[in-house]
Amino acid sequence: MVYKTAGAEPLIMQPQIVFFGNSRLAASRTRLAALAYAVTIALLAPMPARAAQTSPEAKAVADATAHAVPGFWDPRRRPERPDMSRLTMIRFLTEVDYPPFNFTGADGNPAGFNVDLARALCEEIKVTCTVQMRKFETLLDALSSNRGDAIIASLAVTPQTRTKLDFTDPYYRTPARFVARKDAVIPEMRPEYLEGRKIGAVAGSAHEAYLKAMFTDAELHSYPNAEALRAALKRGEVDFIFGDAISLAFWINGTDSENCCAFAGAPFLESRYFGEGVGIAVRKGNDTLRQALNWALFRVWDKGQYTDLWLRYFSVSPF
């Protein structure tokens, strides 16, 4: 899963810090975000002329790989600007190595989707920020001991993390999706369509649990890890695999897949299995910062900057 859960034991390391102020971001390349509504996914429709000239199989592959940008903000509910006069600096904490969300850039400074989003939020709030890179296991301890103000590190919002932290509204979720070989993609993945078909999933995962609960007439094959699962699909050992869509998107678009495969059907977003999403974590009771970040998240999305960042980091959409 691309979501992460907080560990208990802190590890010692040298944090890496980068400062950024209110430098103006480049204009957005696209305004697709205006099409997205609260907790819905804006799917880009294929051009009618192109669809008419392609076979159903080719169209299914095209539809499955069409780019889409998630949206969790409702343009009809525009939040009021909160009082941010007491905010003079925000110290963001992020993870060391979790690309494309967090990683060390060529200049040695923090980089990635989460880091660039933090930069955009600080530009909107008009406050100077820092980003400290730490091992994931140390983030909660660093926040609770006042060595940072907010965690932006793909930290999952769960009942367990909510007991320790407050979260902003979600700014992304990790859907689950089916993947098939390109010559076997089908547009809809309903249980009745997959009766007797071989489906692979990682053993012990939420994806395996979902298949056991919902796709009871399929033939389930379990694998010890994601690498074994993907290899089974390439070999034709299974008809479909089911897993974390963000990881699968990078595999589909990478060299390891050897251009074998594509998404089949739509994303699955049931929170009971696949989580509530990812938000920015702050210390319990820090409503001033949480509300400021929520306001800034909406503004960044409304201006199209969120879409710009998403398209920059996700060349194959998981949605």
Side-chain angles (χ1 to χ4, degrees):
M1 289 288 287
V2 171
Y3 301 154
K4 293 202 152 190
T5 54
E9 295 298 324
L11 302 177
I12 299 174
M13 66 166 296
Q14 281 295 116
Q16 187 174 11
I17 304 176
V18 60
F19 286 83
F20 48 84
N22 297 327
S23 58
R24 189 170 182 81
L25 295 177
S28 175
R29 291 191 297 267
T30 177
R31 301 294 295 178
L32 295 177
L35 300 176
Y37 287 85
V39 295
T40 62
I41 303 304
L43 294 176
L44 304 184
M47 294 176 63
R50 183 175 180 84
Q53 297 171 6
T54 57
S55 67
E57 293 78 14
K59 181 179 182 298
V61 172
D63 289 349
T65 56
H67 221 304
V69 180
F72 303 99
W73 301 273
D74 188 343
R76 299 166 298 182
R77 290 185 168 183
R78 307 183 70 84
E80 293 185 6
R81 191 182 194 278
D83 180 7
M84 296 181 286
S85 59
R86 289 183 292 171
L87 287 179
T88 57
M89 176 181 282
I90 302 174
R91 298 168 298 165
F92 280 103
L93 302 169
T94 195
E95 190 179 358
V96 177
D97 187 24
Y98 199 58
F101 296 98
N102 317 91
F103 57 92
T104 302
D107 60 358
N109 285 321
F113 177 81
N114 285 331
V115 175
D116 283 349
L117 180 59
R119 182 178 289 114
L121 297 176
C122 290
E123 165 66 19
E124 200 60 51
I125 297 171
K126 306 300 180 188
V127 66
T128 299
C129 296
T130 66
V131 171
Q132 303 178 32
M133 297 183 75
R134 295 177 177 270
K135 287 188 176 181
F136 186 80
E137 295 84 355
T138 71
L139 292 175
L140 264 65
D141 180 64
L143 185 68
S144 63
S145 60
N146 200 29
R147 285 175 283 168
D149 302 308
I151 297 173
I152 185 165
S154 300
L155 180 63
V157 181
T158 67
Q160 292 73 30
T161 55
R162 283 189 185 278
T163 64
K164 302 176 182 178
L165 304 162
D166 286 339
F167 287 90
T168 65
D169 297 335
Y171 65 92
Y172 84 84
R173 294 178 68 182
T174 300
R177 290 196 72 172
F178 286 96
V179 174
R181 292 182 302 281
K182 283 189 172 181
D183 60 357
V185 167
I186 59 177
E188 288 189 83
M189 305 300 289
R190 297 183 181 182
E192 60 267 31
Y193 296 166
L194 301 186
E195 183 178 351
R197 305 294 291 274
K198 298 176 181 178
I199 307 175
V202 173
S205 67
H207 306 97
E208 182 190 53
Y210 186 79
L211 292 174
K212 288 179 177 179
M214 303 297 179
F215 289 79
T216 55
D217 293 327
E219 184 180 314
L220 179 60
H221 292 246
S222 299
Y223 294 89
N225 52 53
E227 291 74 18
L229 177 69
R230 296 163 187 171
L233 181 62
K234 286 177 63 176
R235 292 193 303 267
E237 190 174 301
V238 291
D239 302 307
F240 304 98
I241 59 174
F242 188 62
D244 166 75
I246 291 182
S247 299
L248 288 170
F250 282 98
W251 177 69
I252 288 170
N253 198 47
T255 56
D256 288 348
S257 69
E258 299 177 337
N259 201 33
C260 70
C261 304
F263 284 127
F268 292 77
L269 290 163
E270 283 79 354
S271 60
R272 186 159 58 98
Y273 288 90
F274 310 125
E276 299 177 48
V278 165
I280 302 171
V282 300
R283 282 187 293 277
K284 275 284 188 183
N286 192 350
D287 285 343
T288 298
L289 179 55
R290 184 182 61 82
Q291 291 172 9
L293 292 171
N294 269 337
W295 175 82
L297 280 167
F298 179 89
R299 295 271 295 175
V300 166
W301 170 79
D302 191 45
K303 291 180 175 181
Q305 293 171 338
Y306 179 91
T307 296
D308 184 63
L309 287 176
W310 188 269
L311 295 176
R312 183 185 307 169
Y313 284 100
F314 300 99
S315 54
V316 173
S317 177
F319 289 95

